[in-house]
PDB file of all heavy atoms in Angstrom:
ATOM      1  N   ILE A   1       9.704   8.126 -16.119  1.00 98.00           N
ATOM      2  CA  ILE A   1       9.971   7.824 -14.717  1.00 98.00           C
ATOM      3  C   ILE A   1       9.135   8.754 -13.850  1.00 98.00           C
ATOM      4  O   ILE A   1       9.186   9.975 -14.015  1.00 98.00           O
ATOM      5  CB  ILE A   1      11.466   7.994 -14.381  1.00 98.00           C
ATOM      6  CG1 ILE A   1      12.327   7.017 -15.197  1.00 98.00           C
ATOM      7  CG2 ILE A   1      11.699   7.767 -12.886  1.00 98.00           C
ATOM      8  CD1 ILE A   1      13.812   7.176 -14.971  1.00 98.00           C
ATOM      9  N   VAL A   2       8.356   8.174 -12.944  1.00 98.00           N
ATOM     10  CA  VAL A   2       7.457   8.960 -12.102  1.00 98.00           C
ATOM     11  C   VAL A   2       7.832   8.762 -10.636  1.00 98.00           C
ATOM     12  O   VAL A   2       7.974   7.623 -10.171  1.00 98.00           O
ATOM     13  CB  VAL A   2       5.985   8.537 -12.318  1.00 98.00           C
ATOM     14  CG1 VAL A   2       5.057   9.354 -11.413  1.00 98.00           C
ATOM     15  CG2 VAL A   2       5.594   8.709 -13.779  1.00 98.00           C
ATOM     16  N   ASP A   3       7.998   9.847  -9.913  1.00 98.00           N
ATOM     17  CA  ASP A   3       8.248   9.777  -8.481  1.00 98.00           C
ATOM     18  C   ASP A   3       6.916   9.607  -7.756  1.00 98.00           C
ATOM     19  O   ASP A   3       5.969  10.379  -7.980  1.00 98.00           O
ATOM     20  CB  ASP A   3       8.955  11.042  -7.996  1.00 98.00           C
ATOM     21  CG  ASP A   3      10.391  11.115  -8.470  1.00 98.00           C
ATOM     22  OD1 ASP A   3      11.160  10.185  -8.169  1.00 98.00           O
ATOM     23  OD2 ASP A   3      10.747  12.088  -9.167  1.00 98.00           O
ATOM     24  N   VAL A   4       6.848   8.603  -6.906  1.00 98.00           N
ATOM     25  CA  VAL A   4       5.604   8.295  -6.199  1.00 98.00           C
ATOM     26  C   VAL A   4       5.882   8.188  -4.709  1.00 98.00           C
ATOM     27  O   VAL A   4       7.037   8.065  -4.282  1.00 98.00           O
ATOM     28  CB  VAL A   4       4.980   6.980  -6.724  1.00 98.00           C
ATOM     29  CG1 VAL A   4       4.658   7.104  -8.214  1.00 98.00           C
ATOM     30  CG2 VAL A   4       5.917   5.790  -6.496  1.00 98.00           C
ATOM     31  N   VAL A   5       4.799   8.198  -3.910  1.00 97.00           N
ATOM     32  CA  VAL A   5       4.983   8.226  -2.455  1.00 97.00           C
ATOM     33  C   VAL A   5       4.295   7.077  -1.739  1.00 97.00           C
ATOM     34  O   VAL A   5       4.429   6.943  -0.526  1.00 97.00           O
ATOM     35  CB  VAL A   5       4.474   9.568  -1.864  1.00 97.00           C
ATOM     36  CG1 VAL A   5       5.304  10.733  -2.392  1.00 97.00           C
ATOM     37  CG2 VAL A   5       2.997   9.771  -2.159  1.00 97.00           C
ATOM     38  N   ASN A   6       3.545   6.236  -2.456  1.00 97.00           N
ATOM     39  CA  ASN A   6       2.912   5.112  -1.784  1.00 97.00           C
ATOM     40  C   ASN A   6       2.765   3.942  -2.743  1.00 97.00           C
ATOM     41  O   ASN A   6       3.026   4.062  -3.947  1.00 97.00           O
ATOM     42  CB  ASN A   6       1.556   5.500  -1.178  1.00 97.00           C
ATOM     43  CG  ASN A   6       0.598   6.075  -2.217  1.00 97.00           C
ATOM     44  OD1 ASN A   6       0.415   5.486  -3.286  1.00 97.00           O
ATOM     45  ND2 ASN A   6      -0.028   7.206  -1.899  1.00 97.00           N
ATOM     46  N   LEU A   7       2.325   2.814  -2.208  1.00 97.00           N
ATOM     47  CA  LEU A   7       2.230   1.582  -2.988  1.00 97.00           C
ATOM     48  C   LEU A   7       1.251   1.717  -4.136  1.00 97.00           C
ATOM     49  O   LEU A   7       1.524   1.248  -5.259  1.00 97.00           O
ATOM     50  CB  LEU A   7       1.819   0.428  -2.073  1.00 97.00           C
ATOM     51  CG  LEU A   7       1.640  -0.941  -2.737  1.00 97.00           C
ATOM     52  CD1 LEU A   7       2.943  -1.417  -3.380  1.00 97.00           C
ATOM     53  CD2 LEU A   7       1.155  -1.970  -1.713  1.00 97.00           C
ATOM     54  N   ALA A   8       0.108   2.344  -3.897  1.00 97.00           N
ATOM     55  CA  ALA A   8      -0.900   2.474  -4.950  1.00 97.00           C
ATOM     56  C   ALA A   8      -0.351   3.265  -6.135  1.00 97.00           C
ATOM     57  O   ALA A   8      -0.553   2.891  -7.299  1.00 97.00           O
ATOM     58  CB  ALA A   8      -2.153   3.149  -4.394  1.00 97.00           C
ATOM     59  N   GLU A   9       0.358   4.347  -5.850  1.00 97.00           N
ATOM     60  CA  GLU A   9       0.941   5.147  -6.925  1.00 97.00           C
ATOM     61  C   GLU A   9       2.038   4.375  -7.649  1.00 97.00           C
ATOM     62  O   GLU A   9       2.178   4.477  -8.869  1.00 97.00           O
ATOM     63  CB  GLU A   9       1.489   6.464  -6.363  1.00 97.00           C
ATOM     64  CG  GLU A   9       0.419   7.445  -5.911  1.00 97.00           C
ATOM     65  CD  GLU A   9       1.021   8.745  -5.422  1.00 97.00           C
ATOM     66  OE1 GLU A   9       2.273   8.872  -5.422  1.00 97.00           O
ATOM     67  OE2 GLU A   9       0.255   9.649  -5.043  1.00 97.00           O
ATOM     68  N   ALA A  10       2.813   3.614  -6.893  1.00 97.00           N
ATOM     69  CA  ALA A  10       3.873   2.813  -7.508  1.00 97.00           C
ATOM     70  C   ALA A  10       3.278   1.769  -8.438  1.00 97.00           C
ATOM     71  O   ALA A  10       3.779   1.537  -9.540  1.00 97.00           O
ATOM     72  CB  ALA A  10       4.718   2.131  -6.431  1.00 97.00           C
ATOM     73  N   ARG A  11       2.196   1.147  -8.006  1.00 96.00           N
ATOM     74  CA  ARG A  11       1.533   0.138  -8.831  1.00 96.00           C
ATOM     75  C   ARG A  11       1.014   0.767 -10.130  1.00 96.00           C
ATOM     76  O   ARG A  11       1.167   0.209 -11.216  1.00 96.00           O
ATOM     77  CB  ARG A  11       0.384  -0.500  -8.039  1.00 96.00           C
ATOM     78  CG  ARG A  11      -0.352  -1.571  -8.804  1.00 96.00           C
ATOM     79  CD  ARG A  11      -1.451  -2.184  -7.967  1.00 96.00           C
ATOM     80  NE  ARG A  11      -0.941  -3.123  -6.987  1.00 96.00           N
ATOM     81  CZ  ARG A  11      -1.013  -2.968  -5.671  1.00 96.00           C
ATOM     82  NH1 ARG A  11      -1.560  -1.870  -5.172  1.00 96.00           N
ATOM     83  NH2 ARG A  11      -0.536  -3.881  -4.857  1.00 96.00           N
ATOM     84  N   GLU A  12       0.414   1.939 -10.027  1.00 97.00           N
ATOM     85  CA  GLU A  12      -0.148   2.605 -11.206  1.00 97.00           C
ATOM     86  C   GLU A  12       0.951   3.072 -12.167  1.00 97.00           C
ATOM     87  O   GLU A  12       0.884   2.836 -13.376  1.00 97.00           O
ATOM     88  CB  GLU A  12      -0.998   3.800 -10.766  1.00 97.00           C
ATOM     89  CG  GLU A  12      -1.630   4.567 -11.925  1.00 97.00           C
ATOM     90  CD  GLU A  12      -2.451   5.756 -11.455  1.00 97.00           C
ATOM     91  OE1 GLU A  12      -2.563   5.967 -10.226  1.00 97.00           O
ATOM     92  OE2 GLU A  12      -2.972   6.484 -12.322  1.00 97.00           O
ATOM     93  N   ALA A  13       1.987   3.720 -11.632  1.00 97.00           N
ATOM     94  CA  ALA A  13       3.041   4.272 -12.488  1.00 97.00           C
ATOM     95  C   ALA A  13       3.833   3.186 -13.190  1.00 97.00           C
ATOM     96  O   ALA A  13       4.261   3.359 -14.338  1.00 97.00           O
ATOM     97  CB  ALA A  13       3.970   5.157 -11.659  1.00 97.00           C
ATOM     98  N   SER A  14       4.029   2.050 -12.530  1.00 97.00           N
ATOM     99  CA  SER A  14       4.850   0.992 -13.111  1.00 97.00           C
ATOM    100  C   SER A  14       4.125   0.202 -14.206  1.00 97.00           C
ATOM    101  O   SER A  14       4.728  -0.659 -14.832  1.00 97.00           O
ATOM    102  CB  SER A  14       5.335   0.036 -12.016  1.00 97.00           C
ATOM    103  OG  SER A  14       4.257  -0.493 -11.283  1.00 97.00           O
ATOM    104  N   GLN A  15       2.866   0.515 -14.435  1.00 94.00           N
ATOM    105  CA  GLN A  15       2.169  -0.111 -15.557  1.00 94.00           C
ATOM    106  C   GLN A  15       2.532   0.557 -16.880  1.00 94.00           C
ATOM    107  O   GLN A  15       2.380  -0.042 -17.956  1.00 94.00           O
ATOM    108  CB  GLN A  15       0.642  -0.020 -15.363  1.00 94.00           C
ATOM    109  CG  GLN A  15       0.131  -0.687 -14.098  1.00 94.00           C
ATOM    110  CD  GLN A  15       0.517  -2.149 -13.983  1.00 94.00           C
ATOM    111  OE1 GLN A  15       0.318  -2.932 -14.914  1.00 94.00           O
ATOM    112  NE2 GLN A  15       1.091  -2.516 -12.839  1.00 94.00           N
ATOM    113  N   VAL A  16       3.019   1.792 -16.819  1.00 95.00           N
ATOM    114  CA  VAL A  16       3.290   2.552 -18.052  1.00 95.00           C
ATOM    115  C   VAL A  16       4.700   3.142 -18.078  1.00 95.00           C
ATOM    116  O   VAL A  16       5.028   3.930 -18.961  1.00 95.00           O
ATOM    117  CB  VAL A  16       2.258   3.687 -18.234  1.00 95.00           C
ATOM    118  CG1 VAL A  16       0.877   3.098 -18.501  1.00 95.00           C
ATOM    119  CG2 VAL A  16       2.225   4.601 -16.994  1.00 95.00           C
ATOM    120  N   GLY A  17       5.539   2.749 -17.133  1.00 97.00           N
ATOM    121  CA  GLY A  17       6.894   3.283 -17.089  1.00 97.00           C
ATOM    122  C   GLY A  17       7.586   2.802 -15.826  1.00 97.00           C
ATOM    123  O   GLY A  17       7.280   1.730 -15.305  1.00 97.00           O
ATOM    124  N   PHE A  18       8.527   3.595 -15.322  1.00 98.00           N
ATOM    125  CA  PHE A  18       9.233   3.263 -14.093  1.00 98.00           C
ATOM    126  C   PHE A  18       8.652   4.101 -12.949  1.00 98.00           C
ATOM    127  O   PHE A  18       8.430   5.309 -13.104  1.00 98.00           O
ATOM    128  CB  PHE A  18      10.727   3.588 -14.199  1.00 98.00           C
ATOM    129  CG  PHE A  18      11.502   2.656 -15.084  1.00 98.00           C
ATOM    130  CD1 PHE A  18      10.890   1.684 -15.858  1.00 98.00           C
ATOM    131  CD2 PHE A  18      12.886   2.771 -15.148  1.00 98.00           C
ATOM    132  CE1 PHE A  18      11.620   0.834 -16.671  1.00 98.00           C
ATOM    133  CE2 PHE A  18      13.642   1.918 -15.965  1.00 98.00           C
ATOM    134  CZ  PHE A  18      13.003   0.957 -16.724  1.00 98.00           C
ATOM    135  N   ALA A  19       8.440   3.456 -11.826  1.00 98.00           N
ATOM    136  CA  ALA A  19       8.057   4.169 -10.609  1.00 98.00           C
ATOM    137  C   ALA A  19       9.281   4.268  -9.709  1.00 98.00           C
ATOM    138  O   ALA A  19      10.019   3.298  -9.541  1.00 98.00           O
ATOM    139  CB  ALA A  19       6.931   3.442  -9.895  1.00 98.00           C
ATOM    140  N   ARG A  20       9.477   5.440  -9.123  1.00 98.00           N
ATOM    141  CA  ARG A  20      10.608   5.655  -8.213  1.00 98.00           C
ATOM    142  C   ARG A  20      10.040   6.035  -6.845  1.00 98.00           C
ATOM    143  O   ARG A  20       9.307   7.024  -6.733  1.00 98.00           O
ATOM    144  CB  ARG A  20      11.520   6.746  -8.761  1.00 98.00           C
ATOM    145  CG  ARG A  20      12.796   6.967  -7.974  1.00 98.00           C
ATOM    146  CD  ARG A  20      13.798   7.779  -8.796  1.00 98.00           C
ATOM    147  NE  ARG A  20      13.205   8.984  -9.345  1.00 98.00           N
ATOM    148  CZ  ARG A  20      13.700   9.668 -10.398  1.00 98.00           C
ATOM    149  NH1 ARG A  20      14.814   9.236 -10.984  1.00 98.00           N
ATOM    150  NH2 ARG A  20      13.101  10.756 -10.833  1.00 98.00           N
ATOM    151  N   ILE A  21      10.372   5.245  -5.834  1.00 98.00           N
ATOM    152  CA  ILE A  21       9.777   5.428  -4.512  1.00 98.00           C
ATOM    153  C   ILE A  21      10.824   5.163  -3.442  1.00 98.00           C
ATOM    154  O   ILE A  21      11.737   4.355  -3.637  1.00 98.00           O
ATOM    155  CB  ILE A  21       8.563   4.468  -4.339  1.00 98.00           C
ATOM    156  CG1 ILE A  21       7.869   4.698  -2.997  1.00 98.00           C
ATOM    157  CG2 ILE A  21       8.984   3.011  -4.501  1.00 98.00           C
ATOM    158  CD1 ILE A  21       6.563   3.918  -2.845  1.00 98.00           C
ATOM    159  N   ALA A  22      10.697   5.830  -2.303  1.00 98.00           N
ATOM    160  CA  ALA A  22      11.619   5.593  -1.197  1.00 98.00           C
ATOM    161  C   ALA A  22      11.520   4.130  -0.761  1.00 98.00           C
ATOM    162  O   ALA A  22      10.419   3.624  -0.525  1.00 98.00           O
ATOM    163  CB  ALA A  22      11.281   6.520  -0.033  1.00 98.00           C
ATOM    164  N   TRP A  23      12.672   3.457  -0.681  1.00 98.00           N
ATOM    165  CA  TRP A  23      12.674   2.048  -0.292  1.00 98.00           C
ATOM    166  C   TRP A  23      12.103   1.861   1.117  1.00 98.00           C
ATOM    167  O   TRP A  23      11.409   0.880   1.388  1.00 98.00           O
ATOM    168  CB  TRP A  23      14.092   1.502  -0.391  1.00 98.00           C
ATOM    169  CG  TRP A  23      14.264   0.101   0.092  1.00 98.00           C
ATOM    170  CD1 TRP A  23      15.122  -0.331   1.064  1.00 98.00           C
ATOM    171  CD2 TRP A  23      13.588  -1.070  -0.371  1.00 98.00           C
ATOM    172  NE1 TRP A  23      15.017  -1.684   1.238  1.00 98.00           N
ATOM    173  CE2 TRP A  23      14.082  -2.170   0.365  1.00 98.00           C
ATOM    174  CE3 TRP A  23      12.598  -1.306  -1.338  1.00 98.00           C
ATOM    175  CZ2 TRP A  23      13.636  -3.475   0.178  1.00 98.00           C
ATOM    176  CZ3 TRP A  23      12.149  -2.605  -1.533  1.00 98.00           C
ATOM    177  CH2 TRP A  23      12.659  -3.674  -0.792  1.00 98.00           C
ATOM    178  N   GLU A  24      12.350   2.804   1.987  1.00 96.00           N
ATOM    179  CA  GLU A  24      11.803   2.722   3.340  1.00 96.00           C
ATOM    180  C   GLU A  24      10.277   2.761   3.311  1.00 96.00           C
ATOM    181  O   GLU A  24       9.614   2.173   4.164  1.00 96.00           O
ATOM    182  CB  GLU A  24      12.350   3.865   4.200  1.00 96.00           C
ATOM    183  CG  GLU A  24      13.852   3.761   4.461  1.00 96.00           C
ATOM    184  CD  GLU A  24      14.388   4.958   5.227  1.00 96.00           C
ATOM    185  OE1 GLU A  24      13.613   5.917   5.432  1.00 96.00           O
ATOM    186  OE2 GLU A  24      15.571   4.938   5.605  1.00 96.00           O
ATOM    187  N   MET A  25       9.708   3.459   2.322  1.00 96.00           N
ATOM    188  CA  MET A  25       8.259   3.525   2.196  1.00 96.00           C
ATOM    189  C   MET A  25       7.700   2.230   1.623  1.00 96.00           C
ATOM    190  O   MET A  25       6.650   1.733   2.045  1.00 96.00           O
ATOM    191  CB  MET A  25       7.877   4.706   1.292  1.00 96.00           C
ATOM    192  CG  MET A  25       6.387   4.819   0.990  1.00 96.00           C
ATOM    193  SD  MET A  25       5.409   5.247   2.451  1.00 96.00           S
ATOM    194  CE  MET A  25       5.977   6.945   2.709  1.00 96.00           C
ATOM    195  N   LEU A  26       8.428   1.639   0.666  1.00 97.00           N
ATOM    196  CA  LEU A  26       7.935   0.431  -0.001  1.00 97.00           C
ATOM    197  C   LEU A  26       8.221  -0.812   0.840  1.00 97.00           C
ATOM    198  O   LEU A  26       7.306  -1.536   1.227  1.00 97.00           O
ATOM    199  CB  LEU A  26       8.587   0.301  -1.379  1.00 97.00           C
ATOM    200  CG  LEU A  26       8.097  -0.847  -2.251  1.00 97.00           C
ATOM    201  CD1 LEU A  26       6.650  -0.626  -2.665  1.00 97.00           C
ATOM    202  CD2 LEU A  26       8.987  -0.993  -3.487  1.00 97.00           C
ATOM    203  N   GLY A  27       9.498  -1.073   1.090  1.00 96.00           N
ATOM    204  CA  GLY A  27       9.905  -2.213   1.898  1.00 96.00           C
ATOM    205  C   GLY A  27       9.619  -3.556   1.244  1.00 96.00           C
ATOM    206  O   GLY A  27       9.056  -3.641   0.141  1.00 96.00           O
ATOM    207  N   THR A  28       9.999  -4.618   1.953  1.00 96.00           N
ATOM    208  CA  THR A  28       9.838  -5.959   1.383  1.00 96.00           C
ATOM    209  C   THR A  28       8.374  -6.336   1.230  1.00 96.00           C
ATOM    210  O   THR A  28       8.007  -7.063   0.300  1.00 96.00           O
ATOM    211  CB  THR A  28      10.548  -6.996   2.264  1.00 96.00           C
ATOM    212  OG1 THR A  28      10.082  -6.886   3.612  1.00 96.00           O
ATOM    213  CG2 THR A  28      12.051  -6.772   2.248  1.00 96.00           C
ATOM    214  N   GLN A  29       7.503  -5.838   2.100  1.00 97.00           N
ATOM    215  CA  GLN A  29       6.084  -6.142   1.965  1.00 97.00           C
ATOM    216  C   GLN A  29       5.521  -5.506   0.701  1.00 97.00           C
ATOM    217  O   GLN A  29       4.730  -6.122  -0.021  1.00 97.00           O
ATOM    218  CB  GLN A  29       5.310  -5.675   3.202  1.00 97.00           C
ATOM    219  CG  GLN A  29       5.591  -6.506   4.449  1.00 97.00           C
ATOM    220  CD  GLN A  29       4.708  -6.094   5.614  1.00 97.00           C
ATOM    221  OE1 GLN A  29       4.268  -4.943   5.701  1.00 97.00           O
ATOM    222  NE2 GLN A  29       4.444  -7.030   6.520  1.00 97.00           N
ATOM    223  N   GLY A  30       5.920  -4.264   0.448  1.00 97.00           N
ATOM    224  CA  GLY A  30       5.477  -3.610  -0.776  1.00 97.00           C
ATOM    225  C   GLY A  30       6.031  -4.283  -2.016  1.00 97.00           C
ATOM    226  O   GLY A  30       5.361  -4.378  -3.047  1.00 97.00           O
ATOM    227  N   GLU A  31       7.260  -4.773  -1.910  1.00 97.00           N
ATOM    228  CA  GLU A  31       7.865  -5.494  -3.026  1.00 97.00           C
ATOM    229  C   GLU A  31       7.052  -6.744  -3.366  1.00 97.00           C
ATOM    230  O   GLU A  31       6.797  -7.031  -4.538  1.00 97.00           O
ATOM    231  CB  GLU A  31       9.307  -5.876  -2.673  1.00 97.00           C
ATOM    232  CG  GLU A  31      10.061  -6.564  -3.786  1.00 97.00           C
ATOM    233  CD  GLU A  31      11.478  -6.925  -3.390  1.00 97.00           C
ATOM    234  OE1 GLU A  31      11.784  -6.939  -2.182  1.00 97.00           O
ATOM    235  OE2 GLU A  31      12.287  -7.219  -4.297  1.00 97.00           O
ATOM    236  N   VAL A  32       6.632  -7.466  -2.333  1.00 97.00           N
ATOM    237  CA  VAL A  32       5.810  -8.661  -2.546  1.00 97.00           C
ATOM    238  C   VAL A  32       4.468  -8.282  -3.157  1.00 97.00           C
ATOM    239  O   VAL A  32       3.971  -8.960  -4.072  1.00 97.00           O
ATOM    240  CB  VAL A  32       5.608  -9.419  -1.209  1.00 97.00           C
ATOM    241  CG1 VAL A  32       4.582 -10.535  -1.373  1.00 97.00           C
ATOM    242  CG2 VAL A  32       6.928  -9.976  -0.714  1.00 97.00           C
ATOM    243  N   ALA A  33       3.884  -7.203  -2.694  1.00 97.00           N
ATOM    244  CA  ALA A  33       2.589  -6.765  -3.222  1.00 97.00           C
ATOM    245  C   ALA A  33       2.690  -6.377  -4.694  1.00 97.00           C
ATOM    246  O   ALA A  33       1.811  -6.709  -5.499  1.00 97.00           O
ATOM    247  CB  ALA A  33       2.058  -5.596  -2.395  1.00 97.00           C
ATOM    248  N   LEU A  34       3.751  -5.687  -5.073  1.00 97.00           N
ATOM    249  CA  LEU A  34       3.928  -5.305  -6.481  1.00 97.00           C
ATOM    250  C   LEU A  34       4.114  -6.527  -7.359  1.00 97.00           C
ATOM    251  O   LEU A  34       3.673  -6.538  -8.516  1.00 97.00           O
ATOM    252  CB  LEU A  34       5.136  -4.374  -6.616  1.00 97.00           C
ATOM    253  CG  LEU A  34       4.976  -2.946  -6.103  1.00 97.00           C
ATOM    254  CD1 LEU A  34       6.291  -2.181  -6.262  1.00 97.00           C
ATOM    255  CD2 LEU A  34       3.863  -2.212  -6.855  1.00 97.00           C
ATOM    256  N   ALA A  35       4.772  -7.550  -6.828  1.00 97.00           N
ATOM    257  CA  ALA A  35       5.015  -8.762  -7.607  1.00 97.00           C
ATOM    258  C   ALA A  35       3.718  -9.425  -8.050  1.00 97.00           C
ATOM    259  O   ALA A  35       3.685 -10.124  -9.069  1.00 97.00           O
ATOM    260  CB  ALA A  35       5.860  -9.741  -6.800  1.00 97.00           C
ATOM    261  N   GLU A  36       2.629  -9.197  -7.308  1.00 96.00           N
ATOM    262  CA  GLU A  36       1.334  -9.747  -7.696  1.00 96.00           C
ATOM    263  C   GLU A  36       0.851  -9.160  -9.016  1.00 96.00           C
ATOM    264  O   GLU A  36       0.043  -9.778  -9.721  1.00 96.00           O
ATOM    265  CB  GLU A  36       0.310  -9.476  -6.595  1.00 96.00           C
ATOM    266  CG  GLU A  36       0.626 -10.187  -5.280  1.00 96.00           C
ATOM    267  CD  GLU A  36      -0.322  -9.796  -4.168  1.00 96.00           C
ATOM    268  OE1 GLU A  36      -1.210  -8.949  -4.422  1.00 96.00           O
ATOM    269  OE2 GLU A  36      -0.172 -10.322  -3.051  1.00 96.00           O
ATOM    270  N   ASP A  37       1.353  -7.978  -9.363  1.00 95.00           N
ATOM    271  CA  ASP A  37       1.030  -7.340 -10.641  1.00 95.00           C
ATOM    272  C   ASP A  37       2.171  -7.451 -11.639  1.00 95.00           C
ATOM    273  O   ASP A  37       2.254  -6.681 -12.601  1.00 95.00           O
ATOM    274  CB  ASP A  37       0.707  -5.854 -10.432  1.00 95.00           C
ATOM    275  CG  ASP A  37      -0.576  -5.639  -9.636  1.00 95.00           C
ATOM    276  OD1 ASP A  37      -1.507  -6.463  -9.793  1.00 95.00           O
ATOM    277  OD2 ASP A  37      -0.640  -4.678  -8.862  1.00 95.00           O
ATOM    278  N   ALA A  38       3.076  -8.424 -11.413  1.00 96.00           N
ATOM    279  CA  ALA A  38       4.231  -8.657 -12.282  1.00 96.00           C
ATOM    280  C   ALA A  38       5.158  -7.449 -12.341  1.00 96.00           C
ATOM    281  O   ALA A  38       5.804  -7.185 -13.348  1.00 96.00           O
ATOM    282  CB  ALA A  38       3.780  -9.042 -13.686  1.00 96.00           C
ATOM    283  N   VAL A  39       5.239  -6.710 -11.238  1.00 98.00           N
ATOM    284  CA  VAL A  39       6.136  -5.560 -11.116  1.00 98.00           C
ATOM    285  C   VAL A  39       7.244  -5.931 -10.138  1.00 98.00           C
ATOM    286  O   VAL A  39       6.967  -6.469  -9.065  1.00 98.00           O
ATOM    287  CB  VAL A  39       5.395  -4.309 -10.619  1.00 98.00           C
ATOM    288  CG1 VAL A  39       6.366  -3.158 -10.372  1.00 98.00           C
ATOM    289  CG2 VAL A  39       4.327  -3.899 -11.630  1.00 98.00           C
ATOM    290  N   THR A  40       8.486  -5.647 -10.488  1.00 98.00           N
ATOM    291  CA  THR A  40       9.616  -5.955  -9.613  1.00 98.00           C
ATOM    292  C   THR A  40      10.400  -4.696  -9.280  1.00 98.00           C
ATOM    293  O   THR A  40      10.362  -3.708 -10.019  1.00 98.00           O
ATOM    294  CB  THR A  40      10.572  -6.973 -10.267  1.00 98.00           C
ATOM    295  OG1 THR A  40      10.967  -6.480 -11.555  1.00 98.00           O
ATOM    296  CG2 THR A  40       9.906  -8.319 -10.425  1.00 98.00           C
ATOM    297  N   VAL A  41      11.104  -4.755  -8.160  1.00 98.00           N
ATOM    298  CA  VAL A  41      12.055  -3.694  -7.826  1.00 98.00           C
ATOM    299  C   VAL A  41      13.314  -3.980  -8.624  1.00 98.00           C
ATOM    300  O   VAL A  41      14.011  -4.956  -8.365  1.00 98.00           O
ATOM    301  CB  VAL A  41      12.350  -3.662  -6.313  1.00 98.00           C
ATOM    302  CG1 VAL A  41      13.419  -2.605  -6.012  1.00 98.00           C
ATOM    303  CG2 VAL A  41      11.079  -3.382  -5.529  1.00 98.00           C
TER     304      VAL A  41
END
């Protein structure tokens, strides 16, 4: 589990484990963006 602070870090960390990020930082737009890489909240 890796603590991250932005979308790019969340995308990278979630390829090899769990990314943990402030929901206020990610938001629904970030959730949609991660889904493009088959990553879900």
Side-chain angles (χ1 to χ4, degrees):
I1 298 177
V2 179
D3 289 302
V4 300
V5 296
N6 56 49
L7 179 61
E9 290 182 359
R11 181 179 283 115
E12 180 181 358
S14 56
Q15 301 304 310
V16 293
F18 288 7
R20 186 164 51 200
I21 183 172
W23 175 237
E24 293 176 353
M25 175 68 69
L26 185 67
T28 54
Q29 289 185 333
E31 183 180 17
V32 171
L34 287 178
E36 295 174 359
D37 293 326
V39 175
T40 54
V41 176

